[in-house]
Amino acid sequence: MKDRYGAEYLQARIGKEFPLAASMGIVVVAATDELLVLSAPLGANANSHGTAFGGSLFSLAALAGWAWLSRYAVSNGLDAEAVIQDGHIDYLLPVHGEFRAMLASPPAAEIEHFRKMLRRAARGRIRLHADLHDGPNLAARFDGVFAAAIRSRSG
Amino acid sequence: MKDRYGAEYLQARIGKEFPLAASMGIVVVAATDELLVLSAPLGANANSHGTAFGGSLFSLAALAGWAWLSRYAVSNGLDAEAVIQDGHIDYLLPVHGEFRAMLASPPAAEIEHFRKMLRRAARGRIRLHADLHDGPNLAARFDGVFAAAIRSRSG
């Protein structure tokens, strides 16, 4: 069965809700319960050295976090606002082509803790990690704390 | 006397070297030995809540760091490549309009240490801090480590 809240759903939301995503050429490659993958081309995101701008790498990872949280909420029948509270990135290698942010779902215990906070207090937060890859190479590591606040219960 | 490496100089370099800066609408407001200020409008950088996208705030601050380092190098007759090595941002308040990254020059002792590293090893790094403002409000705090490598000596 096709996932109702998969890549197409998130691509449409990102396109509608983040005008900069179109300028960056962001594509939702995969969106499952296990993994969220976004990609962006080098061209629009290049810096003065012909490699990827550090701000674009951070932005792709931050959007992956937003997408994970938004997908988690809607998949669980929650109408939640997701925002980033802090973010950290370590740049390891210059990026010479299309790059990807790969965000694996956090451990089940952390998701469960987040779910309980959402249910009890209508808000919760969770730390998400994303790796940024240039082909097979790990180019940067991102982590950030994302918060969700429930607007209403649906579904 | 007009500063040879002031706002106009950096605006031209950013426009030429970072295609995303034009999509973001980045403007170099001020560039002196004491302070570097970049601004960006909300429109192109909005998120799903009609406030500024966290990735745009990070990108503006990272570009301010790049601009500070590039200006420092060229003002001192050095042809240096500047790159970001890591970055951290704390989001304090949502941004509802045009926002600014304000980067004050680091303490003289840190700049002197950086200058010595550049002279001895042709590379150096320095931690830079930037505050992100929405009008009078401090909306986010950024810091990052930036590295410079000298390509050749000019001037």
Side-chain angles (χ1 to χ4, degrees), chain B residues 11-32:
Chain B
Q11 185 77 52
R13 279 196 62 181
I14 288 174
K16 198 169 61 182
E17 301 184 25
F18 295 91
L20 195 64
S23 304
M24 290 177 62
I26 291 177
V27 171
V28 182
V29 177
T32 68

Side-chain angles (χ1 to χ4, degrees), chain A residues 43-154:
Chain A
N45 299 294
N47 64 16
S48 50
H49 317 301
T51 57
F53 170 44
S56 289
L57 290 166
F58 183 96
S59 293
L60 193 70
L63 262 184
W66 175 88
W68 185 90
L69 201 51
S70 298
R71 182 180 185 281
Y72 176 81
V74 75
S75 299
N76 286 276
L78 302 170
D79 177 21
E81 285 196 21
V83 296
I84 184 169
Q85 290 195 329
D86 64 55
H88 181 89
I89 189 163
D90 287 311
Y91 299 98
L92 309 173
L93 290 175
V95 167
H96 295 280
E98 185 201 72
F99 50 99
R100 292 184 172 208
M102 307 182 74
L103 191 156
S105 288
E110 290 176 28
I111 297 179
E112 178 59 17
H113 179 68
F114 174 63
R115 195 182 65 79
K116 281 184 182 161
M117 284 196 292
L118 275 181
R119 202 169 47 182
R120 286 182 197 156
R123 30 186 88 238
R125 55 187 187 169
I126 189 164
R127 184 172 293 278
L128 299 173
H129 300 261
D131 286 340
L132 290 139
H133 286 264
D134 173 12
N137 299 320
L138 178 62
R141 281 207 181 97
F142 166 93
D143 74 283
V145 172
F146 292 79
I150 292 178
R151 284 182 290 229
S152 64
R153 278 161 207 276
S154 63

Side-chain angles (χ1 to χ4, degrees), chain B residues 58-73:
Chain B
F58 182 97
S59 294
L60 193 70
L63 262 182
W66 175 88
W68 185 90
L69 201 50
S70 299
R71 181 179 186 281
Y72 176 81

